[in-house]
Each structure stands twice: as structure tokens, then as C-alpha cells.
Amino acid sequence: MDVNEIAARIKLVILDVDGVMTDGSIIIHDDGSETRIFDIKDGLGTVALQMLGVEVAIITSKKSGAVARRAEELRIKRFHEGVRKKVPVYEQMLEEMGITDEEVCYVGDDLNDLGMMKRVGLPVAVADAVPEIKAVARYVTKAPGGRGAVREVAELILKAQGKWEALLAKIG
């Protein structure tokens, strides 16, 4: 089955944060607060998926006020932070939504994403992911993490599902 056929079945996109929604950089200020930079095009891609019936979730091992706020801005209801083992949270989402592994896309960049990447129907690696992640990916983005990779995945899925033109009509 080719990537477009797989993407046509996706009902849930799960995103890692550092290295996927951001470029992986964290600025730590003197007061201990942190800054992360998010790409606005990635944000629109996330919103577009949700507008057209594809759920988006975040599972991240860190806790960050900035990430929580970004998830709230993007109206991501399935936001899980401080998660050491992602698979149990993932399995709970599958059960709640009544979907299967084949209907899930996971976007990752580093070794802690391997377990998830091996489970889902559409494992995606960002362009600057580590080789081990790229090796298990069904699709590798042209854009690096934090620089349009999430938007690229959103476009891939929405076009494969025949929803891209509907999005253009809604926002145009």
C-alpha cells in the first residue's frame, strides 16, 4: 500500500513536540523559564486537520507551560505531557476513539519515538530525525521539525482524503 492510501485512512495524528512541533531548541532563561518557537504554518496545518475531521493529539515527555498554551491555542483536546511511556497513553486513545493502529499517524524525530512509530499505520519522520526513526518511517518530510513538517503532514493527509479543496473553500 502506498503512502497516499495509508494517509486516506488516518483519523488521528499524534505529534511529539521537541524536534517535531519545534526545531528542538529550548532557550533557558536566567529565571529558569523556557522558550520554544513554534511555526505558524504548522499551527494552521494542525487546525486544518481538526476542522476537517482528523483529530490531533500531543504526547510529550516534558512538561512546559509554553507547550500547554500552544496546545490550548490550537484547540488540541488530547494533550498529554510528562509522559514517560507513550504507548499506554496511545492505547487509551485508541480505545476511547474506537480506532485501530492503521488509522493513526505519528510524527517523531528521536529514539524515544520508536515504540510509537512501530505501532501506527503511518509513521512519519521529520527531515532532521535520527537515522533509526527514518528507518521505520513510511514517510519522511522534506521540512525539518519546527519548520513546516507538521504542515506537510497535514497537507499529505488532507489531500489523500480529498479534503484539501474543502479547506481552501473554507478559508478562501
Side-chain angles (χ1 to χ4, degrees):
M1 193 175 310
D2 81 352
V3 170
N4 286 317
E5 290 174 308
I6 297 167
R9 300 183 312 191
I10 298 302
K11 294 182 180 172
L12 172 65
V13 175
I14 303 174
L15 304 171
D16 181 38
V17 176
D18 294 320
V20 172
M21 294 181 72
T22 75
D23 69 1
S25 299
I26 300 173
I27 299 168
I28 301 175
H29 301 278
D30 290 342
D31 66 0
S33 64
E34 297 178 352
T35 298
R36 288 174 171 81
I37 298 171
F38 298 92
D39 187 295
I40 199 75
K41 291 181 190 83
D42 285 343
L44 180 59
T46 302
V47 170
L49 284 166
Q50 295 176 105
M51 281 174 44
L52 295 167
V54 178
E55 271 206 63
V56 177
I58 292 173
I59 304 176
T60 182
S61 57
K62 292 194 173 199
K63 285 192 173 195
S64 163
V67 175
R69 181 174 176 144
R70 186 64 174 152
E72 185 179 322
E73 288 173 352
L74 298 174
R75 297 187 177 130
I76 296 173
K77 296 176 191 93
R78 297 180 187 279
F79 173 64
H80 304 274
E81 62 179 340
V83 176
R84 286 278 191 225
K85 294 186 178 192
K86 295 181 179 186
V87 173
V89 173
Y90 166 68
E91 288 174 343
Q92 182 180 351
M93 279 192 273
L94 289 180
E95 188 175 320
E96 289 171 1
M97 293 179 67
I99 61 174
T100 64
D101 291 329
E102 291 75 29
E103 296 169 304
V104 180
C105 170
Y106 183 87
V107 187
D109 72 306
D110 212 344
L111 298 176
N112 61 332
D113 298 315
L114 270 174
M116 292 292 298
M117 298 280 287
K118 290 178 179 179
R119 283 283 304 264
V120 302
L122 181 56
V124 174
V126 295
D128 53 343
V130 297
E132 294 85 353
I133 293 296
K134 287 181 177 179
V136 298
R138 291 295 304 257
Y139 182 80
V140 177
T141 64
K142 292 173 184 62
R147 302 277 185 225
V150 173
R151 170 66 170 269
E152 187 177 331
V153 172
E155 286 189 30
L156 169 74
I157 291 168
L158 293 174
K159 287 177 180 176
Q161 294 183 359
K163 297 177 178 176
W164 187 250
E165 295 304 319
L167 173 66
L168 297 179
K170 276 188 179 191
I171 62 175

